[in-house]
Amino acid sequence: MDNHNEPHTISNLSAGLKNVNIDHRDNGDINMLQQHLSSQAPMEQSRIAQFFNNQPTEGFTLFSHRSAPNGFKVAIILSELDLNYNTIFLDFNSGEQRAPEFVTINPNARVPALIDHANDNTSIWESGAIIFYLVSKYLNENGECKLWSNNLVEQSAISSWVFFQTSGHAPMIGQALHFRYFHSSPVPSAVERYTDEVRRVYGVLEMALAERREALIMDLDVENAAAYSAGTTPLSQSRYFDYPIWLVGDRATIADLSFVPWNNVVDRIGINLKNEFPEVYKWTKYMMRRPAVIRALRGE
């Protein structure tokens, strides 16, 4: 069903981003602009310039936007690791994402970006890169990291899911949201194409989680394993059917938590996780109940 005429019930996730552009002027225009500015009274420094001129000496600063799931993805990892951080929510309407100081640390002029003040103000951009930086640093400093691993095989499995999330999951939902709510004119084929691709992505997750569920039940519900194998008793009757399961190992890692913010908005493109992808729904529900996730999604 085409919802272009419905009220906008979601944040301007795409609208704020699609208007980013760089004005091209010839040298004459630039010279005239410079002469005009030089004749004006000094302008008050922007809050972004003020921040970069007086940065903290410890902790992290996260640059995000209140309707940007990828920013909240990073906030979740910072919160889960109990790291000291502050969030600056950029105002896209006033073009703060194009502030020269911000573009210096993120040439793509998007969110998120992160500054590690305790490490010579090292800056990282792109959500996946930021997450890997955080867990790698935490592992190096503490010898272990609950969201990561010091095992190469586990690291590769976790990395595969994170790259799947950043390259397939988030972009497809973002495109589906854009064409459903923000495109200048209705394109039903685009809405259908991207929504179908999101469903395909969730099908991959559902299968992986279902396999993890079956393996866990067969391992823990030993007295009924033969009946499950024979098909005489459905797995849904196991007392472990609603037990938490994770994509890699026996705990939540960045492989799982990276999916949370986008799972939280997928209903807005007409996908009902509970009805269509029950394992994805249960997995997401467990993560959404984690205190660190709740704090991060609230912007605390």
Side-chain angles (χ1 to χ4, degrees):
M1 183 176 180
D2 185 4
N3 291 328
H4 270 273
N5 294 323
E6 295 182 359
H8 287 188
T9 58
I10 71 170
S11 59
N12 62 341
L13 171 65
S14 299
L17 295 176
K18 72 178 183 179
N19 293 324
V20 173
N21 59 73
I22 298 176
D23 292 332
H24 296 280
R25 299 180 173 92
D26 60 30
N27 290 337
D29 290 337
I30 292 174
N31 291 335
M32 290 177 62
L33 178 62
Q34 290 174 339
Q35 291 172 9
H36 173 72
L37 291 176
S38 65
S39 66
Q40 304 300 309
M43 294 181 63
E44 183 180 348
Q45 257 192 345
S46 71
R47 68 170 185 141
I48 303 303
Q50 290 176 6
F51 167 82
F52 277 94
N53 287 334
N54 188 28
Q55 294 190 45
T57 57
E58 58 183 21
F60 299 86
T61 296
L62 170 64
F63 291 89
S64 186
H65 186 271
R66 292 196 180 276
S67 64
N70 284 334
F72 286 98
K73 182 199 313 180
V74 174
I76 286 172
I77 305 306
L78 287 161
S79 184
E80 285 277 351
L81 295 176
D82 198 26
L83 297 173
N84 177 28
Y85 76 100
N86 179 56
T87 302
I88 295 177
F89 291 103
L90 296 181
D91 181 357
F92 288 173
N93 291 329
S94 65
E96 285 188 330
Q97 77 278 15
R98 296 191 294 274
E101 298 85 358
F102 181 69
V103 174
T104 298
I105 68 164
N106 185 351
N108 195 35
R110 300 289 193 273
V111 294
L114 186 79
I115 298 177
D116 182 354
H117 300 294
N119 189 17
D120 296 325
N121 289 333
T122 294
S123 59
I124 314 98
W125 52 292
E126 288 296 310
S127 62
I130 295 170
I131 288 171
F132 283 123
Y133 175 87
L134 290 172
V135 295
S136 297
K137 180 181 181 181
Y138 194 96
L139 177 62
N140 291 339
E141 293 181 349
N142 298 279
E144 62 179 2
C145 180
K146 61 183 180 180
L147 304 184
W148 187 221
S149 175
N150 56 8
N151 177 277
L152 181 61
V153 174
E154 273 200 345
Q155 284 183 355
S156 65
I158 292 171
S159 298
S160 294
W161 285 111
V162 173
F163 280 111
F164 178 69
Q165 194 283 319
T166 58
S167 66
H169 179 248
M172 294 303 103
I173 297 176
Q175 290 296 325
L177 285 167
H178 171 80
F179 281 103
R180 190 179 180 95
Y181 293 101
F182 303 118
H183 198 61
S184 56
S185 58
V187 187
S189 61
V191 174
E192 181 181 3
R193 181 260 187 275
Y194 287 112
T195 304
D196 286 349
E197 182 61 13
V198 173
R199 283 195 167 90
R200 187 196 69 79
V201 167
Y202 278 119
V204 174
L205 285 166
E206 183 74 10
M207 180 63 70
L209 291 167
E211 290 175 351
R212 298 281 293 173
R213 168 80 56 207
E214 182 177 359
L216 179 140
I217 289 174
M218 298 300 287
D219 185 46
L220 297 182
D221 202 353
V222 178
E223 64 271 25
N224 297 308
Y228 297 137
S229 295
T232 56
T233 302
L235 291 174
S236 59
Q237 292 189 14
S238 171
R239 61 182 179 275
Y240 299 106
F241 189 69
D242 289 320
Y243 195 84
I245 53 171
W246 312 107
L247 289 171
V248 181
D250 59 359
R251 68 199 186 284
T253 68
I254 57 174
D256 308 282
L257 295 165
S258 294
F259 287 88
V260 170
W262 288 97
N263 286 359
N264 195 37
V265 301
V266 74
D267 61 311
R268 294 165 184 173
I269 61 169
I271 293 178
N272 186 317
L273 291 180
K274 185 176 183 179
N275 293 338
E276 298 183 51
F277 305 99
E279 287 293 350
V280 173
Y281 172 77
K282 288 187 287 186
W283 170 64
T284 303
K285 181 176 66 174
Y286 275 110
M287 291 189 284
M288 292 285 289
R289 290 175 176 173
R290 295 167 71 93
V293 172
I294 292 171
R295 290 196 304 271
L297 293 180
R298 286 177 177 170
E300 297 176 1

